[in-house]
Amino acid sequence: MMSDDNQDAFKNVSRKPGLQTWTINNMQMVPVPPQGFGNFFEGDCYIVLYISEKGSGQSTDIHYWIGKASSQDEQGAAAIYVTQLDEYLGGSPVQHREVQGSESPRFRSYFRNGIIYKKGGVASGFRHVDTNAYNVLRLLHVKGRKNVTATEVEVSWNSFNNGDIFLLDVGKAIVQWNGPQSNRREKLKAVLLAQDIRDRERGGRAQIGVVEGGDEQDSPELMKVMTAVLGQRTGHLKDAIPDEKPGQVQKTNVRLYHVFENSGNLVVQEVATQPLTQDLLHSSDCYIVDQSGSSVMVWKGKLASKQERREALNRAMGYIKAKNYPSSTTVEVMTEGGESAMFKHLFKSWRDKGQTQGLGTTHSVGKIAKVDQVKFDVMELHARPELAAQQRMVDDASGDVKVWRIENLELADVNPSTYGQFYGGDCYLVLYTYQRSNQQQHILYMWQGRHATKDEITACAYQAVNIDNKYNGAPVQVRVIMGKEPRHFLAIFKGNLIIFMGGTGRPGVVNPEAGARLFQVRGTNELNTKATEVPARASSLNTNDVFLLKTDHVCYLWYGKGCSGDERVMGRAMSDVLSRQDKQVVMEGQEPAEFWVALGGKAPYASDKRLQREEPPHSPRLFECSNQTGQFRMTEVDDFAQSDLDEEDVMLLDTWEEIFLWVGKFANKHETKEAWNSAQEYLRTHPAGRDPDTPIIFVRQGYEPPTFTGWFNAWDPHKWSVSNSYEEMKKKLSGAASLSQITDLNNSSLSPAGNSGSGYRAPGGPVSSPPVYRVHGGDCFSPSSQVDGGMSPSAGNSGMYMDPDLLINKSPSELPKGVEASQREAYLSDADFENLLGTSRSDFQRLPKWRQNDLKKKAGLF
């Protein structure tokens, strides 16, 4: 039960969207200031609350984080507060248990620049942060390419190794040392972390320098600083430590358990294994979903007793112990109606209460989806990529179409009069060309017949590469399995798409006469209609569709009771494409005897009206793919954005109806080659029993279609043309002359070992043990030195700031000597900066580049 004290504890909990963090101090929740977000003391427990806007409402996640050196009492207190905070917020939040070093993708997504693990804990004395505290000395060991963590280690050369990156933080300066075996991505992530420390903890006042561990002689000034602090290095550095496994192997094995108490004993009863269906969950009960021990999720029915709901988290922990799972196992607790996307993805289909369909309701009937009629306005699809993404349509299908068939493993042109006719014994390449913003765009579909030979399928892929090369890698490549054609593919054949079960369309080849042939017609307009040949037996019929039965003498047009007027019109049009014979309309239930004779006799067929079984939309998910260990591994990126697409990687975007493979321009050849297999493996092992023939779409960086970009919020087509690569960022940093500001530290500021200091006040936490060396405040940096790009001059009050009149509305040639034209704002005092730009320096740093430039233009600083 919540006490009044706890009501008070939650008084300061804001319900506005954003991040809030508390640490547990003397069993009480103490707020952590924003400068301290992302810093976690290993001896403490934290509660992190994240509220985000979601459609018309909000979604809330509560995490409690357990430091590896925290006490059982603190862990217990954190768990109790989480349960109470959940109740205080109405019981709808998803609760997560996070263990140091094994944090969930969702948790990591709040700290984009990385998580810092700090030695010590509240026990050593809690003090509020001072953003200008330069009294710092620490060494951070940085690991990770995607999920960055930095751990405080002993300030000594003994802590270094050849494979990782280390930040030597002396308060007014941060020196980044890159291990000779570290890669570009890791270096870039470390620079971003160093900048984050500078902006958030030092209010923008600190210099950053970079040393390449393999070329230390190129940075003599910075090496002097390192030697002054760490002493002379003797002997060799340790070898690289292999990174942790890059992610979780997809766990196919999912089990659902009913959890309840029986006369004081906890009973866990297995209900089902994957693929799970939503109807297994009853509102009056609580359940555990176990994904092979990689994560344990608890679902609380809204009619379950208060006691049961309150005990959910403890039961999950009891279950983990009973199963002997590691204590770092991820735990999520959610209430009916507030399920996480991850949870829903484990179910074959999931319907949210009162879920309304977007444009073009998709009805799943049998295996082929039915799409309601939607008129496509091509301009709107290009102006609103999110619409294109939901509709899976890049345009209105009015572009140019070219079709080839694979013959003798080579490309053979298909006669345009037969475009739209696909034979199950063939493979085809279809090149679709359309205009977007006055530029030609291409989609290359690889259609594989179910009876094509292995050689033909291989040749199809090989010829696709040839066509792709001809267009400089610009086409988006889509693998299409016969019968699983994506929506846009249907649209480009304008209602003339016919798929023959077997045989070949090659000229001069006579397909064996099959006697009666039966075609199922699905669609309501020419953008979504196709005819598919099915076995000519009565059991193939379906009450929801139109069928064409073609015999030697007549073509029957059979109308099922469940089909609409639009579907009949499309059936009639398709019958004219298929056959010149007379058409005889047959209504379901009024068939002549000859009709059944042609089908080999009457038999039961699908006659339940399943028309309204809609395929609900699933949230899209993004993964980084890696095959480095010889085993397919994927790391999920939660709450993803365009910036998460890593130029050195292959990324997989799962939108449920389609799978996109996005290939960065620096991705290695092997990984790119493996990408197709990876996507098929992903579908095959998906716990929800996914269709292995789901279309797979191959997209290269820089050539993304709107059906891809529409899943990302605020996609920037110019992002990579002006992107800050590691090299560019490093150049900017070392542009701060040869960092003579930092080297001034050598002379006076680094006091020798043994000089005790007052300790480093870390943001949101206690003072760490007194530093071995100390950086004094005052005018550490020489005013003459150039200021590095994008940073405020780190001059304290040394009078280095310039009069704004010298900087505003001046051409580059009129600026004072040494002033970087594109960085004028860096030479303003904090007061002038806020006055002119209307925002603080640290808030300005967080704005997107275009917004920064906009403010600079208005202030005359551009």
Side-chain angles (χ1 to χ4, degrees), residues 310-346:
R310 199 173 279 158
E311 283 297 309
L313 195 54
N314 287 339
R315 287 184 178 170
M317 296 312 299
Y319 175 82
I320 284 172
K321 277 199 184 107
K323 282 279 201 180
N324 274 331
Y325 288 160
S327 60
S328 58
T329 302
T330 312
V331 176
E332 271 188 26
V333 179
M334 64 208 77
T335 303
E336 180 176 357
E339 295 84 1
S340 65
M342 181 78 191
F343 183 82
K344 292 178 195 174
H345 260 255
L346 297 177

Side-chain angles (χ1 to χ4, degrees), residues 551-578:
T551 70
D552 295 340
H553 320 293
V554 67
C555 180
Y556 293 105
L557 202 50
W558 184 85
Y559 292 146
K561 287 176 181 167
C563 64
S564 67
D566 285 340
E567 289 169 315
R568 292 177 188 187
V569 169
M570 290 317 296
R572 165 71 72 180
M574 192 62 89
S575 72
D576 292 337
V577 179
L578 253 176

